Amino acid sequence: MFPKPIEKSSRSVQIGYQSLLPVALILWLLPLIAVALFSVKPAADFSTGDYWNLPSQFGGWENYGKVFFESDMPRYLLNSILITVPTAIGAVALSCMAGFALGIYKFKANLWLFFMFVAGNFVPFQILMVPVRDLTLDLGLYNTKTGLVLFHIAFQTGFCTLFMRNFIKGLPFALIEAARVEGVAEWRIFVYVVLPLMKPAIAALMVLIFTFIWNDYFWAVVLTQGAESQPVTAGITSFNAQYRAAYHLMSAGAIVAALPPVAMFFLMQKHFIAGLTLGAVK
């Protein structure tokens, strides 16, 4: 049913696996390596058709300087931060409370309510495009960071609640019963008993949601326009239009746009892995 661990395979299989793994890794990273190489090339290399050789001279300072000081990229990055951080905090906070209610309390509509959270994850984005856009126009939230934040929180809470509810269901219920016997209020049980045990799951979910929202392009294009509210994923399109044939500047902009979620993952890697594997081994 489960694949056999590579350690239990024959020596020839292990050697083949160890030989092919670096090749697969290089092939997977090749596009990113090419973009990183382009970002430090001078403009003269592209005008002479020298795309794939090493840079004739290091042009990274000039390229990244233009990205930060001669374009709207800093504003797009700031917009992404102002959209992504509140969304991640709001969605995770709501899902912690909803997951606690669905995982701890037993009431008639519990299962049906949980199914509604799950079902929301299967609705295609394209179906919601027109009604969500009309709703933001009616509420005066179109082309605003607030509208994008509220929409993302509403849409991501379903997945986050599914994640948190299943995590809370795996916690020792005896701890909650003991707290109730001692007369602890329900909100105190949530804050002082359950929430500290959820820290690994919260960290893992924060990394996932931060990455999802930062990399969102569809809703950024549908619900915003212009540098005053667009996040970096939508803004990079305008940036590319500004520097249409400047591949070195477009590559530098792409690298800058991709760095924050990568940095977020590496900073939270320990907690992320702990959150995903907690409970895997009893």
Side-chain angles (χ1 to χ4, degrees):
M1 182 177 180
F2 296 101
K4 184 169 64 173
I6 192 65
E7 294 83 2
K8 296 183 179 180
S9 301
S10 64
R11 183 60 183 165
S12 59
V13 172
Q14 292 186 36
I15 294 174
Y17 175 82
Q18 293 169 359
S19 302
L20 290 174
L21 187 60
V23 176
L25 182 62
I26 291 172
L27 289 175
W28 183 66
L29 291 175
L30 199 57
L32 182 60
I33 295 171
V35 173
L37 180 66
F38 279 23
S39 71
V40 297
K41 276 178 169 284
D45 285 5
F46 294 95
S47 62
T48 58
D50 184 10
Y51 294 98
W52 302 109
N53 293 325
L54 292 175
S56 59
Q57 63 181 19
F58 183 78
W61 300 119
E62 181 183 358
N63 297 343
Y64 285 95
K66 286 184 177 180
V67 168
F68 279 105
F69 301 112
E70 298 182 19
S71 73
D72 289 325
M73 183 59 69
R75 178 176 290 185
Y76 292 133
L77 288 171
L78 179 61
N79 290 343
S80 284
I81 293 171
L82 295 177
I83 291 168
T84 305
V85 173
T87 298
I89 293 173
V92 172
L94 287 175
S95 66
C96 286
M97 293 183 284
F100 177 76
L102 293 173
I104 299 300
Y105 300 119
K106 294 177 174 60
F107 50 92
K108 275 189 176 180
N110 183 304
L111 194 59
W112 289 106
L113 192 59
F114 176 61
F115 283 161
M116 289 180 63
F117 277 101
V118 176
N121 295 314
F122 296 98
V123 178
F125 290 162
Q126 293 80 0
I127 293 177
L128 298 174
M129 180 177 67
V130 174
V132 167
R133 184 180 181 277
D134 290 344
L135 179 63
T136 56
L137 284 169
D138 294 339
L139 296 176
L141 295 173
Y142 180 75
N143 197 31
T144 64
K145 292 185 284 291
T146 303
L148 201 54
V149 167
L150 292 175
F151 170 77
H152 279 311
I153 289 176
F155 202 87
Q156 294 297 330
T157 298
F159 167 74
C160 294
T161 300
L162 169 64
F163 187 96
M164 285 300 183
R165 183 258 188 189
N166 291 338
F167 183 87
I168 292 172
K169 288 283 284 185
L171 296 178
F173 191 71
L175 292 174
I176 297 170
E177 289 181 323
R180 286 174 176 170
V181 168
E182 294 294 329
V184 180
E186 292 296 317
W187 72 268
R188 288 182 176 272
I189 293 175
F190 172 70
V191 174
Y192 296 109
V193 178
V194 175
L195 207 57
L197 298 175
M198 296 167 61
K199 286 182 179 178
I202 291 172
L205 199 55
M206 284 290 288
V207 174
L208 287 174
I209 297 304
F210 186 94
T211 305
F212 290 163
I213 303 305
W214 186 277
N215 291 331
D216 171 70
Y217 176 75
F218 182 81
W219 292 113
V221 173
V222 172
L223 299 181
T224 60
Q225 57 182 0
E228 68 278 358
S229 57
Q230 279 191 329
V232 70
T233 47
I236 198 73
T237 304
S238 302
F239 179 84
N240 291 345
Q242 181 181 355
Y243 298 105
R244 182 165 298 175
Y247 300 111
H248 55 307
L249 298 181
M250 291 191 291
S251 299
I255 292 293
V256 169
L259 282 179
V262 174
M264 176 73 170
F265 175 79
F266 279 107
L267 288 174
M268 301 289 288
Q269 184 179 13
K270 179 181 176 181
H271 303 287
F272 179 73
I273 300 300
L276 294 181
T277 57
L278 190 66
V281 180
K282 295 291 184 182

